[in-house]
Amino acid sequence: MRRRAKSSRRRAEPRAAAAGPRPPGASAGQDLESTLSGAAAALGVALPPAFPAVRVDDESFWDGGIYSNTPIEVVLDDKPRRNSLIFSANVWHPRGPEPESIMQVLARHKDIQFASRANSHVARQKQIHRMRHIIRELGQHVPAKKRDEPEVRELLDYGCASVMHVIPLSVPRLDGEDHTKDIDFSPHGIRARWQAGYADTRRVIEWAPWRRQVDAMDGIIVHEEVL
C-alpha cells in the first residue's frame, strides 16, 4: 500500500500482473514488473520527514508504512484463500516500560500507534475467517439439491476451510533507540535486528506450533506464546 503525500485517500500498490502507473521514463511496451521495481524500491524508503515523497507520473507517494506498518490483511484477504503459515515481523511493541523523558514518550506513542493497528487488523480478520468456517459448516446441513441452486451456491461461496497460522515476531529493543527506529539503517541496527529475527524464526520452526490440532471453527490462529 502506498500513501499519497497530498491526499487522505489511499491508493492500492500496483502489482506486476495488473495495470498501474508507470514509473518515470518507462514506456508502455516495457515489462511492467521490471519497470516498477525502481519505483517500488524508492517508495519503500520514502519515509517522512527523513525522506521526501516519490513522484510517480503526476502523483506523489510516501511509504505505505505510515498507514499500515504491518499490512498483514493483504495476505489474509488474498484470493483464492489457502492454508498459510505467516511470519509477521513488527518493529513496534504494544507493551513497554513507562516513559521518563519526552523522547521516550514519542517512542512509546509510535509503538502504540502502529502496534495497535496491526493487532486490531488481526482481531477483525479472526472474526471474519471464523464466520467463513461457520458458513462452510452450515452448508453441510443444507440438502444437496438445495445447494445446487444458484442463490444458495452464491451464499455458500462465502465459506471456506482454509487455516492460517500467524507467527508474530517483534524485533528487539536496542539501547538508545527512539521514535526514529523505523528509519534506522545503521549497520549496527540492521545487523542486530536481522540476527534477532533469524534466531527467533529458527526457534519457532523447531517448535512448529502450527502442527497442533486446532478448533475446526478457527480460520486464523495467532501463536503469541511462541516467543
Side-chain angles (χ1 to χ4, degrees):
M1 303 293 290
R2 303 300 174 196
R3 186 70 169 170
R4 292 177 186 263
K6 297 182 179 180
S7 171
S8 60
R9 295 178 297 168
R10 286 187 295 135
R11 177 170 182 161
E13 176 183 285
R15 296 192 178 189
R22 294 193 306 276
S27 66
Q30 287 181 280
D31 177 74
L32 187 58
E33 183 174 2
S34 62
T35 57
L36 284 175
S37 60
L43 287 165
V45 295
L47 293 168
F51 301 100
V54 173
R55 182 169 295 279
V56 178
D57 290 338
D58 295 327
E59 299 180 87
S60 297
F61 294 87
W62 275 327
D63 179 80
I66 65 174
Y67 173 77
S68 181
N69 195 258
T70 309
I72 192 173
E73 69 274 9
V74 175
V75 179
L76 299 177
D77 279 334
D78 198 17
K79 293 181 181 179
R81 288 182 291 274
R82 56 177 64 89
N83 293 338
S84 304
L85 174 59
I86 305 165
F87 288 81
S88 174
N90 201 334
V91 71
W92 310 106
H93 298 267
R95 300 179 181 85
E98 183 177 352
E100 298 179 349
S101 68
I102 187 62
M103 296 302 290
Q104 291 178 3
V105 167
L106 293 173
R108 279 305 300 146
H109 170 265
K110 213 167 184 180
D111 271 337
I112 295 170
Q113 178 183 1
F114 287 113
S116 298
R117 181 174 183 82
N119 290 343
S120 65
H121 274 248
V122 173
R124 176 61 56 156
Q125 289 287 342
K126 288 180 68 174
Q127 294 175 339
I128 294 173
H129 280 255
R130 184 174 181 83
M131 187 61 65
R132 287 174 177 148
H133 279 227
I134 291 173
I135 293 172
R136 177 210 61 189
E137 187 67 19
L138 288 173
Q140 303 303 315
H141 299 276
V142 177
K145 185 175 181 180
K146 192 73 173 176
R147 287 201 300 265
D148 290 335
E149 295 181 6
E151 298 86 355
V152 176
R153 191 164 57 246
E154 181 180 359
L155 293 174
L156 294 180
D157 282 344
Y158 284 96
C160 76
S162 63
V163 178
M164 303 182 183
H165 294 266
V166 179
I167 310 295
L169 300 176
S170 294
V171 298
R173 291 184 173 89
L174 304 181
D175 292 338
E177 72 177 10
D178 55 23
H179 65 290
T180 64
K181 63 183 177 181
D182 53 331
I183 54 174
D184 175 17
F185 299 116
S186 66
H188 168 70
I190 293 174
R191 188 180 307 109
R193 295 185 177 98
W194 185 90
Q195 290 174 343
Y198 180 71
D200 286 345
T201 301
R202 289 197 56 160
R203 188 158 52 249
V204 172
I205 290 175
E206 290 175 2
W207 189 10
W210 51 85
R211 294 178 180 171
R212 302 173 186 170
Q213 188 172 1
V214 298
D215 189 325
M217 291 298 102
D218 287 338
I220 296 178
I221 300 92
V222 182
H223 298 280
E224 296 181 304
E225 78 287 356
V226 296
L227 298 173

